[in-house]
């Protein structure tokens, strides 16, 4: 019904930028792991443009305008986004669109993902959808842009042509993207020295071009593999490869015959498709040169079988640039990748040659292990513990529970009760709200272990307000636990065994591996939303301890905590923001086997002591240590 029309993207001149004195909308974008250019929000783009006006070779701190982007910095000199906590670097680009297009009007098109939140379309796709919407087309086929989807405007839905699955889409108004008029600052004309037709030969410009060339080569290799993987063996096997305008502003390739990446020299850049999707003007039903079919892309849902993995192979660096690799130093902590990336940016700004490398990936699992090499942990009976769905026992009498752990105080001091905030010498603030036989509002008691004083009626009210009445009591002031505290962990399985590998920092010992597995299910009465389904992401989860005396002690206590349903709970994930999902419950585990890039690995000389303290805070102690 509707095909994308031309003119969404402003035509470029020889420098790769719009003609002089022409108004255009500026959209900053970053390259994700699926080789898709993802737009920053209009607010972030305004912030980048403001910094660019002040210092065209400076750095942009994205967290100043978006709290979700706190770890990210854009280095305008190398045109890369840098993540401070992991050291990951991604190319960014400054793209230009017609002021009458969707970004110029502040229109954003989004689709609903599996988590129920909204994801914006790529900017080229957004513009195409908006053009069809303004022309009052009933639907839009995105096949010509490499996506097997149809947008239905009447129902505001997106349908997968292959699976027939539908998702909701929406159109919302946001801040318009920044508008610019006039020539581009010379410092933003990539590559530097393009006016003369030859790159500048200074060390700094060679450095910037080498970084850009490496990124361009990675993109070219990715797309070449996509075409070759979908080919049938006919033709020459040499395909035109699209190069990013960000890294090749002159319109000529940085890789010439004889020096191109393996697999054949890259040709000149083919025409950009109107929708901004790599692959020129070929639709999914048409053949690319050489007889290869354009690969079926489904990047809106990105199922695992259709993802294109980012190549880790380093590209060639043009001659004349002494490469000083800046890696993550010795990889012993999460600060090192960040320090390495900042070092590279500072050296780049100082005009020193540096080759920024990709941040290393965490080593989450040990090498493959034969079943015969897996042994029980010495001194720990069994290799598996299961918890089943526990129905809440008949609640114990709150008054009896409170009296069990408290001693009456005849002459209380003149200070506040930290529960009701009334003076201890007066009646409880719950007088008239809560009535219990034998518990007068003026009665005051002292907890046996910690000695903190409260109105008895206040403690009864606190116990009743808990989501479970298991007979335990926790001091609201110092968090001391009385009785055996139990949690709300869903049913699941905990396995533990010994593997013949060593952790960093514990080279003389083998390793205890713990495997937690919790399936999805329905929340019980002790959970936040009884009767509602909960999710369990990332299971089975593998965790590691050194096989020494303290490590085995931690394992014994973790088994005890598992039996008491204290390891996990149901809540909101700090990582993804998803609610009604299984999350850790304040007892930290080490999930990286051979590295410590995320802070959840080894070496960490204080971890065993810290986790013992966390278990103590949950009331999990060895029998000989109980009071």
């Amino acid at each position: 019904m509707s095909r994308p029309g031309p003119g969404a993207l402003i035509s470029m001149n020889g420098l790769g930028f719009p003609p002089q004195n022409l108004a255009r909308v500026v959209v900053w974008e970053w390259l994700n792991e699926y080789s898709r250019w993802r737009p920053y929000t209009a607010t972030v783009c305004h912030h980048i443009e403001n910094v660019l006006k002040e210092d065209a070779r400076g750095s942009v701190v994205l967290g100043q305008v978006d709290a979700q982007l706190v770890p990210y910095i854009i280095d305008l000199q190398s045109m890369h986004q840098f993540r401070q906590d992991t050291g990951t670097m991604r190319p960014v680009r400054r793209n230009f669109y017609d002021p009458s297009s969707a970004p110029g009007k502040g229109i954003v098109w989004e689709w609903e993902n599996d988590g129920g939140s909204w994801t914006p379309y790529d900017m080229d796709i957004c513009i195409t959808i908006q053009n069809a919407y303004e022309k009052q087309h009933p639907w839009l086929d995105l096949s010509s842009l490499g996506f097997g989807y149809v947008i239905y405007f009447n129902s505001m839905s997106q349908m997968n042509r292959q699976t027939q699955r539908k998702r909701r889409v929406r159109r919302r108004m946001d801040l318009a993207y920044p508008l610019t008029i006039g020539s581009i600052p010379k410092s933003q004309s990539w590559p530097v020295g393009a006016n003369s037709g030859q790159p500048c030969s200074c060390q700094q410009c060679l450095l910037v071009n080498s970084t850009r060339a490496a990124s361009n080569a990675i993109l070219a290799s990715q797309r070449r593999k996509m075409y070759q993987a979908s080919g049938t063996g006919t033709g020459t096997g040499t395909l035109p490869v699209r190069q990013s305008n960000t890294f090749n502003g002159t319109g000529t390739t940085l890789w010439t015959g004889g020096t191109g990446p393996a697999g054949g020299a890259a040709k000149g850049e083919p025409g950009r498709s109107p929708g901004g999707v790599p692959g020129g003007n070929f639709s999914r039903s048409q053949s690319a040169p050489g007889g290869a079919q354009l690969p079926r892309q489904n990047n809106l849902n990105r199922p695992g079988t259709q993802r294109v993995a980012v190549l880790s192979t380093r590209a060639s660096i043009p001659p004349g640039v002494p490469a000083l690799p800046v890696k993550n130093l010795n990889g012993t902590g999460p600060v090192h990748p960040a320090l390495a990336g900042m070092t590279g940016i500072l050296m780049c700004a100082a005009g020193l040659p540096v080759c920024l490398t990709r941040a290393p990936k965490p080593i989450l699992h040990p090498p493959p292990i034969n079943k015969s090499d897996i042994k029980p942990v010495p001194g720990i009976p069994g290799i598996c513990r299961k918890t089943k769905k526990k129905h809440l026992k008949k609640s114990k009498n709150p008054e009896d529970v409170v009296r069990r752990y408290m001693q009456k105080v005849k002459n209380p001091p003149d200070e506040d009760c930290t529960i009701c905030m009334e003076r201890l010498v007066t009646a409880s603030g719950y007088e008239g709200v809560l009535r219990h036989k034998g518990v007068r509002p003026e009665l005051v008691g002292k907890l046996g272990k910690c000695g903190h004083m409260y109105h008895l009626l206040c403690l009864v009210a606190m116990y009743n307000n808990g989501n479970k009445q298991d007979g335990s009591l926790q001091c609201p002031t110092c968090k001391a636990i009385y009785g055996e505290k139990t949690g709300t962990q869903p049913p699941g399985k905990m396995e533990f065994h010994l593997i013949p590998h060593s952790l960093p920092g514990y080279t003389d010992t083998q390793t205890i591996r713990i495997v937690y597995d919790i399936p999805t299910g329905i929340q019980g009465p002790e959970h936040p939303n009884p009767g509602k389904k909960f999710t369990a992401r990332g299971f089975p989860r593998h965790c590691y301890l050194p096989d020494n005396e303290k490590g085995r002690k931690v394992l014994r206590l973790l088994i005890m905590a598992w039996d008491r349903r204290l390891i996990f709970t149901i809540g909101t994930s700090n990582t993804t923001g998803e609610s009604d999902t299984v999350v850790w419950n304040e007892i930290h585990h080490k999930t990286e086997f051979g590295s410590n890039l995320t802070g959840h690995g080894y070496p960490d000389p204080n971890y065993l002591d810290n986790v013992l303290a966390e278990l103590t805070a949950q009331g999990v102690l060895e029998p000989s240590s109980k009071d």
Side-chain angles (χ1 to χ4, degrees):
M1 180 67 186
S2 176
R3 301 292 181 194
L9 186 69
I10 296 289
S11 61
M12 304 293 178
N13 60 15
L15 296 179
F17 290 97
Q20 205 168 1
N21 298 325
L22 178 65
R24 60 268 189 191
V25 172
V26 179
V27 178
W28 284 81
E29 300 168 316
W30 58 278
L31 189 69
N32 69 9
E33 60 269 34
Y34 307 109
S35 300
R36 301 292 306 165
W37 287 101
R38 303 291 296 138
Y40 292 101
T41 64
T43 302
V44 172
C45 290
H46 277 279
H47 177 58
I48 299 174
E49 286 293 300
N50 290 336
V51 175
L52 180 65
K53 292 175 183 177
E54 297 177 3
D55 184 2
R57 293 176 181 264
S59 298
V60 185
V61 181
L62 301 185
Q64 292 179 348
V65 291
D66 190 336
Q68 295 182 339
L69 301 181
V70 167
Y72 297 98
I73 293 176
I74 291 179
D75 176 43
L76 297 175
Q77 175 70 16
S78 62
M79 291 293 281
H80 274 73
Q81 170 191 276
F82 166 64
R83 178 163 179 162
Q84 300 175 79
D85 53 352
T86 64
T88 303
M89 301 192 73
R90 299 184 184 276
V92 299
R93 71 179 182 184
R94 188 176 186 235
N95 230 342
F96 304 88
Y97 297 93
D98 192 290
S100 63
S101 62
K105 299 176 180 178
I107 297 172
V108 181
W109 283 87
E110 300 172 319
W111 56 278
E112 188 177 30
N113 58 36
D114 291 335
S117 57
W118 294 91
T119 302
Y121 286 97
D122 296 351
M123 188 55 67
D124 297 325
I125 304 297
C126 176
I127 290 174
T128 303
I129 295 174
Q130 178 61 22
N131 288 342
Y133 179 83
E134 290 178 350
K135 294 176 182 177
Q136 298 184 348
H137 292 306
W139 53 271
L140 169 67
D141 188 351
L142 297 179
S143 297
S144 61
L145 301 181
F147 294 95
Y149 294 91
V150 178
I151 305 293
Y152 293 99
F153 294 110
N154 292 335
S155 60
M156 290 298 280
S157 62
Q158 162 195 289
M159 185 187 74
N160 187 313
R161 293 170 61 92
Q162 184 176 0
T163 66
Q164 304 298 305
R165 179 181 180 183
K166 287 189 176 182
R167 296 177 181 270
R168 290 193 299 163
V169 300
R170 73 177 184 182
R171 174 182 180 268
R172 66 177 181 86
M173 298 301 298
D174 199 353
L175 179 69
Y177 279 81
L179 189 69
T180 184
I181 300 176
S183 59
I184 302 300
K186 185 176 181 181
S187 60
Q188 286 297 304
S189 299
W190 305 111
V192 177
N195 283 328
S196 61
Q198 295 293 331
C200 178
S201 60
C202 72
Q203 290 286 348
Q204 179 60 25
C205 292
L206 284 173
L207 164 66
V208 172
N209 283 335
S210 71
T211 304
R212 195 168 301 115
S215 299
N216 210 15
I218 291 173
L219 293 175
S221 299
Q222 288 174 332
R223 295 191 175 96
R224 182 181 299 104
K225 283 193 175 290
M226 285 195 334
Y227 286 116
Q228 290 173 349
S230 61
T232 58
T234 61
T236 63
T238 302
L239 298 172
V241 179
R242 180 186 182 278
Q243 292 183 336
S244 167
N245 287 333
T246 306
F247 306 117
N248 189 7
T250 63
T252 60
T253 177
L254 291 171
W255 306 99
T256 57
T259 62
K267 304 293 183 182
E269 179 181 4
R272 181 185 179 101
S273 63
V277 177
N281 296 320
F282 306 117
S283 69
R284 287 179 53 185
S285 61
Q286 293 173 319
S287 297
Q293 290 289 327
L294 187 66
R296 291 177 176 268
Q297 291 185 348
N298 192 6
N299 283 343
L300 296 184
N301 285 338
R302 301 188 179 100
T305 57
Q306 293 177 321
R307 293 179 181 175
V308 181
V310 177
L311 299 181
S312 59
T313 306
R314 292 184 59 189
S316 301
I317 304 299
V321 179
L324 174 61
V326 177
K327 299 184 180 179
N328 71 319
L329 304 182
N330 56 12
T332 57
V335 68
H336 291 152
L339 179 59
M342 288 303 296
T343 302
I345 290 176
L346 293 173
M347 293 175 69
C348 177
L352 299 174
V354 56
C355 177
L356 296 172
T357 62
R358 289 181 177 271
K361 294 182 178 179
I363 303 172
L364 301 178
H365 303 290
I369 304 168
N370 294 325
K371 282 189 175 181
S372 59
D373 293 330
I374 298 176
K375 307 294 182 183
V377 181
I380 308 293
I383 59 172
C384 179
R385 302 297 281 263
K386 294 183 179 179
T387 57
K388 298 181 180 179
K389 186 173 183 179
K390 294 185 178 180
H391 297 284
L392 290 178
K393 297 179 181 179
K394 187 176 180 180
S395 298
K396 299 183 179 180
N397 188 304
E399 179 186 340
D400 293 339
V401 172
V402 171
R403 289 184 182 277
R404 183 186 310 160
Y405 305 118
M406 296 200 72
Q407 304 168 357
K408 286 186 180 180
V409 177
K410 293 183 178 180
N411 299 308
D414 187 16
E415 57 187 41
D416 287 341
C417 169
T418 56
I419 298 177
C420 70
M421 301 310 294
E422 298 290 344
R423 309 297 286 181
L424 290 173
V425 294
T426 63
S428 166
Y430 284 91
E431 181 183 15
V433 178
L434 196 64
R435 293 182 180 276
H436 270 270
K437 294 181 179 180
V439 182
R440 300 194 306 275
E442 63 274 9
L443 286 179
V444 174
K446 179 175 70 173
L447 288 170
K449 286 191 293 186
C450 63
H452 289 113
M453 299 183 193
Y454 307 95
H455 293 111
L456 263 67
L457 193 60
C458 291
L459 282 175
V460 170
M462 183 187 75
Y463 183 84
N464 279 336
N465 288 335
N467 59 358
K468 61 188 187 312
Q469 288 82 42
D470 57 3
S472 68
L473 194 66
Q474 188 168 17
C475 175
T477 301
C478 66
K479 307 304 179 185
I481 294 174
Y482 297 81
E484 184 178 292
K485 178 182 177 181
T486 59
T488 60
Q489 176 180 288
K493 181 172 66 173
M494 174 188 186
E495 296 180 352
F496 41 90
H497 47 252
L498 205 61
I499 58 175
H501 295 288
S502 299
L503 294 166
Y506 296 94
T507 55
D508 298 332
T509 64
Q510 292 185 316
T511 298
I512 299 170
R513 178 167 62 184
I514 306 171
V515 182
Y516 296 110
D517 196 6
I518 295 179
T520 58
I522 304 298
Q523 298 182 52
E526 73 273 31
H527 294 136
N529 296 295
K532 185 177 180 180
K533 182 179 178 180
F534 68 84
T535 59
R537 310 288 187 192
F539 287 93
R541 299 188 186 183
H542 292 226
C543 310
Y544 304 95
L545 293 168
D547 181 35
N548 55 24
E549 182 178 353
K550 189 174 287 187
R552 289 190 288 272
K553 177 181 179 181
V554 170
L555 176 60
R556 286 193 295 270
L557 295 178
L558 288 176
I559 294 171
M560 190 183 302
W562 172 266
D563 291 340
R564 297 182 186 178
R565 305 171 68 195
L566 293 170
I567 300 291
F568 297 96
T569 188
I570 294 178
T572 301
S573 170
N574 290 330
T575 305
T576 65
E578 181 182 11
S579 58
D580 297 306
T581 191
V582 180
V583 296
W584 294 105
N585 187 34
E586 299 181 359
I587 300 176
H588 286 83
H589 287 64
K590 291 295 188 181
T591 54
E592 276 186 71
F593 173 79
S595 59
N596 194 19
L597 299 181
T598 65
H600 302 302
Y602 295 93
D604 186 347
N606 300 319
Y607 168 67
L608 296 179
D609 291 328
N610 291 340
V611 74
L612 285 172
E614 291 172 344
L615 287 161
T616 300
Q618 296 283 355
V620 181
L621 301 167
E622 289 191 305
S624 58
S625 301
K626 287 185 177 180
D627 293 336

